[in-house]
Amino acid sequence: MEEELLGTFSNYFEQPLIDEILAEGKLMEVPAGETIMDIGQYIRSIPLMLSGAIKVLREDEEGDELLLYYLEQGETCSVTMACCMGHTKSEIRAITETETKLIMVPVQKMEEWMAKYKGWRNYVFDSYQNRLNELLQTVDSIAFKNLDQRLMDYLKKKVEVTKDNRIKSTHQEIAYDLHTSRVVVSRLLKKLEKMKKLVLHRNYIHVIDL
């Protein structure tokens, strides 16, 4: 775990902080498709991503979901941090997109390390800034882009985070992430196939050129 932690976070974290994370953190290896944080839960620990990808979702009053952003190697969830600081319940759902390895750090260490380590403070502030930028991009996408473009952006990001141009999500799962209907997603995917952007197979979507 130490080698992976150093390889991922050494640009941010001082060696004494690395040592504390190794002492206090819990290594988790989670398969794809697992919910590691859910809406309404109290958060007891903060994830530090060593590898893999996690999608972060928001849910409306009807139970429909919207994809907010992905977490990748070297990142953490600033929404989780905000809930920790305010001692409030989670307002997001986090699901592993691929097999994921992460270190869970006890929440009580967050404030202690903020005062103790400059590297941790910089990491936390950068994480807030990065997540804010991604949330603004999500808002802009919903407000200013048509669904065709949102779908293409979604598929490109999916290929990027999974490092696989074969997307195994169902049309219904894509519809959930984009907060739209399966019928609309299927129609737009057919349109993209006719444009030679992708090929639809029974169990996956083969992205060619988006």
Side-chain angles (χ1 to χ4, degrees):
M1 183 168 77
E2 181 174 6
E3 185 176 336
E4 289 178 290
L5 188 61
L6 283 168
T8 304
F9 293 100
S10 60
N11 288 340
Y12 267 112
F13 298 160
E14 305 93 327
Q15 186 59 50
L17 175 55
I18 294 283
D19 293 340
E20 284 208 50
I21 293 172
L22 290 170
E24 300 288 344
K26 177 184 177 183
L27 179 66
M28 291 181 62
E29 297 185 45
V30 187
E34 293 289 317
T35 300
I36 62 170
M37 188 182 304
D38 212 345
I39 296 164
Q41 288 183 341
Y42 280 106
I43 298 166
R44 309 300 181 191
S45 52
I46 299 164
L48 299 178
M49 297 280 293
L50 293 177
S51 64
I54 295 173
K55 65 179 179 179
V56 178
L57 306 158
R58 187 85 165 95
E59 187 178 87
D60 67 14
E61 293 178 355
E62 282 73 44
D64 295 323
E65 295 176 333
L66 174 67
L67 175 65
L68 297 180
Y69 51 79
Y70 287 97
L71 297 177
E72 299 178 74
Q73 183 183 34
E75 297 183 334
T76 190
C77 184
S78 54
V79 175
T80 301
M81 289 182 168
C83 291
C84 291
M85 295 290 282
H87 304 289
T88 57
K89 294 180 181 180
S90 172
E91 296 185 359
I92 55 96
R93 177 174 293 121
I95 301 173
T96 50
E97 182 70 24
T98 65
E99 184 177 335
T100 298
K101 187 180 292 186
L102 61 159
I103 298 175
M104 303 300 290
V105 175
V107 64
Q108 62 266 25
K109 288 293 175 180
M110 183 176 168
E111 290 188 40
E112 178 186 326
W113 291 346
M114 285 287 283
K116 194 173 179 181
Y117 296 111
K118 181 180 178 181
W120 181 258
R121 290 195 300 274
N122 290 340
Y123 177 71
V124 169
F125 292 145
D126 284 353
S127 296
Y128 277 121
Q129 184 63 53
N130 292 336
R131 295 292 82 78
L132 176 59
N133 289 340
E134 289 187 325
L135 286 173
L136 289 175
Q137 288 173 11
T138 299
V139 171
D140 287 347
S141 175
I142 294 169
F144 304 122
K145 292 183 179 180
N146 59 36
L147 194 55
D148 302 56
Q149 188 60 53
R150 286 180 59 207
L151 176 59
M152 285 194 288
D153 290 346
Y154 169 88
L155 295 173
K156 282 191 285 189
K157 186 65 177 179
K158 195 98 161 173
V159 168
E160 179 187 326
V161 300
T162 61
K163 299 175 176 59
D164 189 347
N165 63 354
R166 293 170 301 172
I167 295 173
K168 299 178 179 63
S169 301
T170 65
H171 294 193
Q172 184 61 70
E173 289 168 341
I174 295 171
Y176 284 143
D177 285 349
L178 294 176
H179 204 279
T180 187
S181 73
R182 182 194 57 79
V183 173
V184 171
V185 167
S186 296
R187 175 172 56 80
L188 292 177
L189 287 171
K190 281 287 187 184
K191 177 181 174 182
L192 291 173
E193 185 175 43
K194 288 178 181 179
M195 296 168 64
K196 311 295 185 185
K197 300 287 187 182
L198 51 81
V199 178
L200 298 175
H201 295 271
R202 179 167 183 160
N203 297 315
Y204 67 93
I205 300 165
H206 181 196
V207 175
I208 299 172
D209 179 24
L210 293 173

